[in-house]
PDB file of all heavy atoms in Angstrom:
ATOM      1  N   LEU T 181       9.122   6.492 -12.482  1.00 94.00           N
ATOM      2  CA  LEU T 181       9.055   5.641 -11.294  1.00 94.00           C
ATOM      3  C   LEU T 181       9.356   6.431 -10.027  1.00 94.00           C
ATOM      4  O   LEU T 181      10.307   7.209  -9.971  1.00 94.00           O
ATOM      5  CB  LEU T 181      10.057   4.495 -11.416  1.00 94.00           C
ATOM      6  CG  LEU T 181       9.808   3.498 -12.557  1.00 94.00           C
ATOM      7  CD1 LEU T 181      10.972   2.540 -12.673  1.00 94.00           C
ATOM      8  CD2 LEU T 181       8.523   2.738 -12.332  1.00 94.00           C
ATOM      9  N   SER T 182       8.554   6.198  -9.010  1.00 93.00           N
ATOM     10  CA  SER T 182       8.803   6.756  -7.688  1.00 93.00           C
ATOM     11  C   SER T 182       9.553   5.717  -6.859  1.00 93.00           C
ATOM     12  O   SER T 182       9.607   4.534  -7.235  1.00 93.00           O
ATOM     13  CB  SER T 182       7.483   7.114  -7.006  1.00 93.00           C
ATOM     14  OG  SER T 182       6.776   5.922  -6.679  1.00 93.00           O
ATOM     15  N   PRO T 183      10.139   6.102  -5.705  1.00 93.00           N
ATOM     16  CA  PRO T 183      10.800   5.113  -4.848  1.00 93.00           C
ATOM     17  C   PRO T 183       9.876   3.960  -4.438  1.00 93.00           C
ATOM     18  O   PRO T 183      10.347   2.860  -4.151  1.00 93.00           O
ATOM     19  CB  PRO T 183      11.241   5.943  -3.637  1.00 93.00           C
ATOM     20  CG  PRO T 183      11.434   7.314  -4.185  1.00 93.00           C
ATOM     21  CD  PRO T 183      10.353   7.472  -5.223  1.00 93.00           C
ATOM     22  N   GLU T 184       8.574   4.210  -4.417  1.00 94.00           N
ATOM     23  CA  GLU T 184       7.598   3.166  -4.086  1.00 94.00           C
ATOM     24  C   GLU T 184       7.669   2.016  -5.080  1.00 94.00           C
ATOM     25  O   GLU T 184       7.309   0.873  -4.750  1.00 94.00           O
ATOM     26  CB  GLU T 184       6.187   3.767  -4.096  1.00 94.00           C
ATOM     27  CG  GLU T 184       5.120   2.912  -3.456  1.00 94.00           C
ATOM     28  CD  GLU T 184       5.138   2.988  -1.943  1.00 94.00           C
ATOM     29  OE1 GLU T 184       5.671   3.971  -1.406  1.00 94.00           O
ATOM     30  OE2 GLU T 184       4.617   2.058  -1.311  1.00 94.00           O
ATOM     31  N   GLN T 185       8.140   2.287  -6.295  1.00 95.00           N
ATOM     32  CA  GLN T 185       8.120   1.300  -7.374  1.00 95.00           C
ATOM     33  C   GLN T 185       9.480   0.685  -7.656  1.00 95.00           C
ATOM     34  O   GLN T 185       9.643  -0.051  -8.623  1.00 95.00           O
ATOM     35  CB  GLN T 185       7.584   1.961  -8.646  1.00 95.00           C
ATOM     36  CG  GLN T 185       6.156   2.478  -8.522  1.00 95.00           C
ATOM     37  CD  GLN T 185       5.810   3.446  -9.631  1.00 95.00           C
ATOM     38  OE1 GLN T 185       6.037   4.651  -9.532  1.00 95.00           O
ATOM     39  NE2 GLN T 185       5.252   2.922 -10.720  1.00 95.00           N
ATOM     40  N   VAL T 186      10.464   0.984  -6.820  1.00 95.00           N
ATOM     41  CA  VAL T 186      11.820   0.462  -7.008  1.00 95.00           C
ATOM     42  C   VAL T 186      12.139  -0.509  -5.874  1.00 95.00           C
ATOM     43  O   VAL T 186      12.053  -0.150  -4.697  1.00 95.00           O
ATOM     44  CB  VAL T 186      12.860   1.596  -7.043  1.00 95.00           C
ATOM     45  CG1 VAL T 186      14.277   1.025  -7.176  1.00 95.00           C
ATOM     46  CG2 VAL T 186      12.564   2.558  -8.196  1.00 95.00           C
ATOM     47  N   TYR T 187      12.505  -1.743  -6.229  1.00 96.00           N
ATOM     48  CA  TYR T 187      12.757  -2.809  -5.259  1.00 96.00           C
ATOM     49  C   TYR T 187      14.190  -3.312  -5.360  1.00 96.00           C
ATOM     50  O   TYR T 187      14.845  -3.182  -6.393  1.00 96.00           O
ATOM     51  CB  TYR T 187      11.803  -3.982  -5.493  1.00 96.00           C
ATOM     52  CG  TYR T 187      10.360  -3.705  -5.146  1.00 96.00           C
ATOM     53  CD1 TYR T 187       9.544  -2.968  -6.009  1.00 96.00           C
ATOM     54  CD2 TYR T 187       9.800  -4.187  -3.969  1.00 96.00           C
ATOM     55  CE1 TYR T 187       8.207  -2.713  -5.695  1.00 96.00           C
ATOM     56  CE2 TYR T 187       8.464  -3.948  -3.648  1.00 96.00           C
ATOM     57  CZ  TYR T 187       7.682  -3.207  -4.514  1.00 96.00           C
ATOM     58  OH  TYR T 187       6.369  -2.954  -4.201  1.00 96.00           O
ATOM     59  N   ASN T 188      14.645  -3.904  -4.278  1.00 93.00           N
ATOM     60  CA  ASN T 188      15.934  -4.600  -4.283  1.00 93.00           C
ATOM     61  C   ASN T 188      15.774  -5.901  -3.503  1.00 93.00           C
ATOM     62  O   ASN T 188      15.053  -5.955  -2.510  1.00 93.00           O
ATOM     63  CB  ASN T 188      17.023  -3.734  -3.642  1.00 93.00           C
ATOM     64  CG  ASN T 188      18.382  -4.438  -3.559  1.00 93.00           C
ATOM     65  OD1 ASN T 188      19.035  -4.428  -2.531  1.00 93.00           O
ATOM     66  ND2 ASN T 188      18.826  -5.041  -4.656  1.00 93.00           N
ATOM     67  N   ALA T 189      16.445  -6.951  -3.975  1.00 92.00           N
ATOM     68  CA  ALA T 189      16.420  -8.252  -3.302  1.00 92.00           C
ATOM     69  C   ALA T 189      17.832  -8.795  -3.236  1.00 92.00           C
ATOM     70  O   ALA T 189      18.644  -8.580  -4.142  1.00 92.00           O
ATOM     71  CB  ALA T 189      15.511  -9.232  -4.044  1.00 92.00           C
ATOM     72  N   ASP T 190      18.122  -9.528  -2.161  1.00 89.00           N
ATOM     73  CA  ASP T 190      19.426 -10.168  -2.035  1.00 89.00           C
ATOM     74  C   ASP T 190      19.341 -11.270  -0.985  1.00 89.00           C
ATOM     75  O   ASP T 190      18.451 -11.262  -0.130  1.00 89.00           O
ATOM     76  CB  ASP T 190      20.503  -9.154  -1.644  1.00 89.00           C
ATOM     77  CG  ASP T 190      21.908  -9.702  -1.862  1.00 89.00           C
ATOM     78  OD1 ASP T 190      22.070 -10.605  -2.707  1.00 89.00           O
ATOM     79  OD2 ASP T 190      22.848  -9.240  -1.182  1.00 89.00           O
ATOM     80  N   GLU T 191      20.284 -12.216  -1.071  1.00 88.00           N
ATOM     81  CA  GLU T 191      20.323 -13.338  -0.151  1.00 88.00           C
ATOM     82  C   GLU T 191      21.368 -13.116   0.941  1.00 88.00           C
ATOM     83  O   GLU T 191      22.323 -12.368   0.765  1.00 88.00           O
ATOM     84  CB  GLU T 191      20.678 -14.645  -0.878  1.00 88.00           C
ATOM     85  CG  GLU T 191      19.739 -15.006  -1.995  1.00 88.00           C
ATOM     86  CD  GLU T 191      20.246 -14.568  -3.358  1.00 88.00           C
ATOM     87  OE1 GLU T 191      20.940 -13.509  -3.410  1.00 88.00           O
ATOM     88  OE2 GLU T 191      19.974 -15.246  -4.351  1.00 88.00           O
ATOM     89  N   THR T 192      21.186 -13.835   2.036  1.00 84.00           N
ATOM     90  CA  THR T 192      22.212 -13.934   3.067  1.00 84.00           C
ATOM     91  C   THR T 192      22.169 -15.341   3.638  1.00 84.00           C
ATOM     92  O   THR T 192      21.105 -15.961   3.718  1.00 84.00           O
ATOM     93  CB  THR T 192      21.999 -12.883   4.182  1.00 84.00           C
ATOM     94  OG1 THR T 192      23.122 -12.902   5.069  1.00 84.00           O
ATOM     95  CG2 THR T 192      20.733 -13.142   4.979  1.00 84.00           C
ATOM     96  N   GLY T 193      23.324 -15.867   4.001  1.00 81.00           N
ATOM     97  CA  GLY T 193      23.376 -17.185   4.619  1.00 81.00           C
ATOM     98  C   GLY T 193      23.099 -17.082   6.109  1.00 81.00           C
ATOM     99  O   GLY T 193      23.537 -16.137   6.774  1.00 81.00           O
ATOM    100  N   LEU T 194      22.361 -18.037   6.629  1.00 80.00           N
ATOM    101  CA  LEU T 194      22.016 -18.035   8.045  1.00 80.00           C
ATOM    102  C   LEU T 194      22.401 -19.385   8.653  1.00 80.00           C
ATOM    103  O   LEU T 194      21.764 -20.403   8.390  1.00 80.00           O
ATOM    104  CB  LEU T 194      20.513 -17.785   8.227  1.00 80.00           C
ATOM    105  CG  LEU T 194      20.005 -17.810   9.665  1.00 80.00           C
ATOM    106  CD1 LEU T 194      20.667 -16.718  10.506  1.00 80.00           C
ATOM    107  CD2 LEU T 194      18.492 -17.637   9.705  1.00 80.00           C
ATOM    108  N   PHE T 195      23.485 -19.387   9.447  1.00 71.00           N
ATOM    109  CA  PHE T 195      23.878 -20.583  10.180  1.00 71.00           C
ATOM    110  C   PHE T 195      23.075 -20.581  11.482  1.00 71.00           C
ATOM    111  O   PHE T 195      23.506 -20.050  12.501  1.00 71.00           O
ATOM    112  CB  PHE T 195      25.387 -20.572  10.435  1.00 71.00           C
ATOM    113  CG  PHE T 195      26.196 -20.750   9.185  1.00 71.00           C
ATOM    114  CD1 PHE T 195      26.521 -19.657   8.391  1.00 71.00           C
ATOM    115  CD2 PHE T 195      26.604 -22.020   8.781  1.00 71.00           C
ATOM    116  CE1 PHE T 195      27.250 -19.821   7.227  1.00 71.00           C
ATOM    117  CE2 PHE T 195      27.340 -22.182   7.613  1.00 71.00           C
ATOM    118  CZ  PHE T 195      27.656 -21.085   6.832  1.00 71.00           C
ATOM    119  N   TRP T 196      21.906 -21.182  11.415  1.00 62.00           N
ATOM    120  CA  TRP T 196      20.893 -20.972  12.442  1.00 62.00           C
ATOM    121  C   TRP T 196      21.182 -21.652  13.769  1.00 62.00           C
ATOM    122  O   TRP T 196      20.540 -21.340  14.780  1.00 62.00           O
ATOM    123  CB  TRP T 196      19.525 -21.398  11.923  1.00 62.00           C
ATOM    124  CG  TRP T 196      19.431 -22.806  11.403  1.00 62.00           C
ATOM    125  CD1 TRP T 196      19.761 -23.246  10.159  1.00 62.00           C
ATOM    126  CD2 TRP T 196      18.964 -23.951  12.116  1.00 62.00           C
ATOM    127  NE1 TRP T 196      19.525 -24.594  10.042  1.00 62.00           N
ATOM    128  CE2 TRP T 196      19.032 -25.043  11.222  1.00 62.00           C
ATOM    129  CE3 TRP T 196      18.483 -24.152  13.414  1.00 62.00           C
ATOM    130  CZ2 TRP T 196      18.649 -26.326  11.591  1.00 62.00           C
ATOM    131  CZ3 TRP T 196      18.095 -25.420  13.780  1.00 62.00           C
ATOM    132  CH2 TRP T 196      18.178 -26.501  12.877  1.00 62.00           C
ATOM    133  N   ARG T 197      22.150 -22.558  13.815  1.00 65.00           N
ATOM    134  CA  ARG T 197      22.547 -23.168  15.090  1.00 65.00           C
ATOM    135  C   ARG T 197      23.920 -22.695  15.550  1.00 65.00           C
ATOM    136  O   ARG T 197      24.445 -23.187  16.545  1.00 65.00           O
ATOM    137  CB  ARG T 197      22.566 -24.691  14.968  1.00 65.00           C
ATOM    138  CG  ARG T 197      21.196 -25.339  15.112  1.00 65.00           C
ATOM    139  CD  ARG T 197      21.323 -26.832  15.067  1.00 65.00           C
ATOM    140  NE  ARG T 197      20.053 -27.484  15.339  1.00 65.00           N
ATOM    141  CZ  ARG T 197      19.841 -28.785  15.188  1.00 65.00           C
ATOM    142  NH1 ARG T 197      20.821 -29.566  14.790  1.00 65.00           N
ATOM    143  NH2 ARG T 197      18.664 -29.307  15.449  1.00 65.00           N
ATOM    144  N   CYS T 198      24.504 -21.760  14.835  1.00 66.00           N
ATOM    145  CA  CYS T 198      25.848 -21.301  15.142  1.00 66.00           C
ATOM    146  C   CYS T 198      25.763 -20.037  15.982  1.00 66.00           C
ATOM    147  O   CYS T 198      25.237 -19.018  15.526  1.00 66.00           O
ATOM    148  CB  CYS T 198      26.618 -21.031  13.851  1.00 66.00           C
ATOM    149  SG  CYS T 198      28.341 -20.605  14.109  1.00 66.00           S
ATOM    150  N   LEU T 199      26.253 -20.083  17.200  1.00 57.00           N
ATOM    151  CA  LEU T 199      26.213 -18.924  18.079  1.00 57.00           C
ATOM    152  C   LEU T 199      27.224 -17.882  17.629  1.00 57.00           C
ATOM    153  O   LEU T 199      28.198 -18.192  16.943  1.00 57.00           O
ATOM    154  CB  LEU T 199      26.503 -19.349  19.518  1.00 57.00           C
ATOM    155  CG  LEU T 199      25.480 -20.321  20.127  1.00 57.00           C
ATOM    156  CD1 LEU T 199      25.919 -20.729  21.524  1.00 57.00           C
ATOM    157  CD2 LEU T 199      24.098 -19.697  20.159  1.00 57.00           C
ATOM    158  N   PRO T 200      27.029 -16.611  17.996  1.00 57.00           N
ATOM    159  CA  PRO T 200      27.922 -15.541  17.555  1.00 57.00           C
ATOM    160  C   PRO T 200      29.361 -15.782  17.989  1.00 57.00           C
ATOM    161  O   PRO T 200      29.635 -16.446  18.986  1.00 57.00           O
ATOM    162  CB  PRO T 200      27.347 -14.289  18.237  1.00 57.00           C
ATOM    163  CG  PRO T 200      25.928 -14.629  18.532  1.00 57.00           C
ATOM    164  CD  PRO T 200      25.909 -16.096  18.806  1.00 57.00           C
ATOM    165  N   SER T 201      30.288 -15.185  17.213  1.00 57.00           N
ATOM    166  CA  SER T 201      31.698 -15.257  17.562  1.00 57.00           C
ATOM    167  C   SER T 201      31.951 -14.409  18.797  1.00 57.00           C
ATOM    168  O   SER T 201      31.115 -13.605  19.196  1.00 57.00           O
ATOM    169  CB  SER T 201      32.540 -14.751  16.390  1.00 57.00           C
ATOM    170  OG  SER T 201      32.339 -13.355  16.226  1.00 57.00           O
ATOM    171  N   PRO T 202      33.124 -14.544  19.433  1.00 52.00           N
ATOM    172  CA  PRO T 202      33.403 -13.765  20.642  1.00 52.00           C
ATOM    173  C   PRO T 202      33.291 -12.261  20.458  1.00 52.00           C
ATOM    174  O   PRO T 202      33.153 -11.539  21.436  1.00 52.00           O
ATOM    175  CB  PRO T 202      34.839 -14.174  20.984  1.00 52.00           C
ATOM    176  CG  PRO T 202      34.978 -15.550  20.429  1.00 52.00           C
ATOM    177  CD  PRO T 202      34.163 -15.527  19.147  1.00 52.00           C
ATOM    178  N   SER T 203      33.331 -11.784  19.226  1.00 49.00           N
ATOM    179  CA  SER T 203      33.246 -10.340  18.993  1.00 49.00           C
ATOM    180  C   SER T 203      31.809  -9.848  18.948  1.00 49.00           C
ATOM    181  O   SER T 203      31.561  -8.655  18.851  1.00 49.00           O
ATOM    182  CB  SER T 203      33.942  -9.980  17.669  1.00 49.00           C
ATOM    183  OG  SER T 203      33.291 -10.623  16.587  1.00 49.00           O
ATOM    184  N   LEU T 204      30.834 -10.773  19.008  1.00 46.00           N
ATOM    185  CA  LEU T 204      29.426 -10.396  18.905  1.00 46.00           C
ATOM    186  C   LEU T 204      28.647 -10.864  20.125  1.00 46.00           C
ATOM    187  O   LEU T 204      28.808 -12.000  20.588  1.00 46.00           O
ATOM    188  CB  LEU T 204      28.785 -11.008  17.644  1.00 46.00           C
ATOM    189  CG  LEU T 204      29.291 -10.500  16.297  1.00 46.00           C
ATOM    190  CD1 LEU T 204      28.657 -11.342  15.194  1.00 46.00           C
ATOM    191  CD2 LEU T 204      28.946  -9.044  16.101  1.00 46.00           C
ATOM    192  N   GLU T 205      27.799  -9.980  20.611  1.00 46.00           N
ATOM    193  CA  GLU T 205      26.822 -10.331  21.635  1.00 46.00           C
ATOM    194  C   GLU T 205      27.426 -11.056  22.835  1.00 46.00           C
ATOM    195  O   GLU T 205      26.840 -11.964  23.412  1.00 46.00           O
ATOM    196  CB  GLU T 205      25.711 -11.211  21.028  1.00 46.00           C
ATOM    197  CG  GLU T 205      24.996 -10.569  19.854  1.00 46.00           C
ATOM    198  CD  GLU T 205      24.247  -9.316  20.268  1.00 46.00           C
ATOM    199  OE1 GLU T 205      23.705  -9.284  21.389  1.00 46.00           O
ATOM    200  OE2 GLU T 205      24.207  -8.371  19.467  1.00 46.00           O
ATOM    201  N   GLY T 206      28.669 -10.702  23.224  1.00 47.00           N
ATOM    202  CA  GLY T 206      29.246 -11.250  24.447  1.00 47.00           C
ATOM    203  C   GLY T 206      29.950 -12.576  24.289  1.00 47.00           C
ATOM    204  O   GLY T 206      30.418 -13.146  25.270  1.00 47.00           O
ATOM    205  N   GLY T 207      30.034 -13.124  23.076  1.00 49.00           N
ATOM    206  CA  GLY T 207      30.818 -14.332  22.861  1.00 49.00           C
ATOM    207  C   GLY T 207      29.997 -15.598  22.840  1.00 49.00           C
ATOM    208  O   GLY T 207      28.849 -15.640  23.251  1.00 49.00           O
ATOM    209  N   ALA T 208      30.618 -16.648  22.318  1.00 49.00           N
ATOM    210  CA  ALA T 208      29.959 -17.940  22.224  1.00 49.00           C
ATOM    211  C   ALA T 208      29.861 -18.594  23.604  1.00 49.00           C
ATOM    212  O   ALA T 208      30.587 -18.262  24.523  1.00 49.00           O
ATOM    213  CB  ALA T 208      30.736 -18.845  21.260  1.00 49.00           C
ATOM    214  N   VAL T 209      28.941 -19.521  23.710  1.00 51.00           N
ATOM    215  CA  VAL T 209      28.721 -20.200  24.980  1.00 51.00           C
ATOM    216  C   VAL T 209      29.752 -21.319  25.132  1.00 51.00           C
ATOM    217  O   VAL T 209      29.869 -22.164  24.249  1.00 51.00           O
ATOM    218  CB  VAL T 209      27.292 -20.779  25.042  1.00 51.00           C
ATOM    219  CG1 VAL T 209      27.068 -21.511  26.355  1.00 51.00           C
ATOM    220  CG2 VAL T 209      26.279 -19.665  24.865  1.00 51.00           C
ATOM    221  N   PRO T 210      30.512 -21.351  26.234  1.00 54.00           N
ATOM    222  CA  PRO T 210      31.525 -22.406  26.429  1.00 54.00           C
ATOM    223  C   PRO T 210      30.884 -23.787  26.406  1.00 54.00           C
ATOM    224  O   PRO T 210      29.805 -24.002  26.940  1.00 54.00           O
ATOM    225  CB  PRO T 210      32.113 -22.083  27.815  1.00 54.00           C
ATOM    226  CG  PRO T 210      31.804 -20.638  28.030  1.00 54.00           C
ATOM    227  CD  PRO T 210      30.493 -20.393  27.344  1.00 54.00           C
ATOM    228  N   GLY T 211      31.595 -24.729  25.773  1.00 53.00           N
ATOM    229  CA  GLY T 211      31.143 -26.106  25.780  1.00 53.00           C
ATOM    230  C   GLY T 211      30.105 -26.448  24.739  1.00 53.00           C
ATOM    231  O   GLY T 211      29.675 -27.594  24.662  1.00 53.00           O
TER     232      GLY T 211
END
């Protein structure tokens, strides 16, 4: 097998309406 034939899959949770915490991207929006 070459690297072309080796795959990896995994899940991640996405809180799609949750703005970043204050430590990310300048902080959450007040209010």
Side-chain angles (χ1 to χ4, degrees):
L181 296 172
S182 69
E184 194 79 22
Q185 298 164 272
V186 177
Y187 290 78
N188 177 227
D190 195 25
E191 302 97 328
T192 188
L194 178 61
F195 291 86
W196 55 276
R197 278 184 174 171
C198 185
L199 297 177
S201 68
S203 62
L204 293 173
E205 303 296 324
V209 179

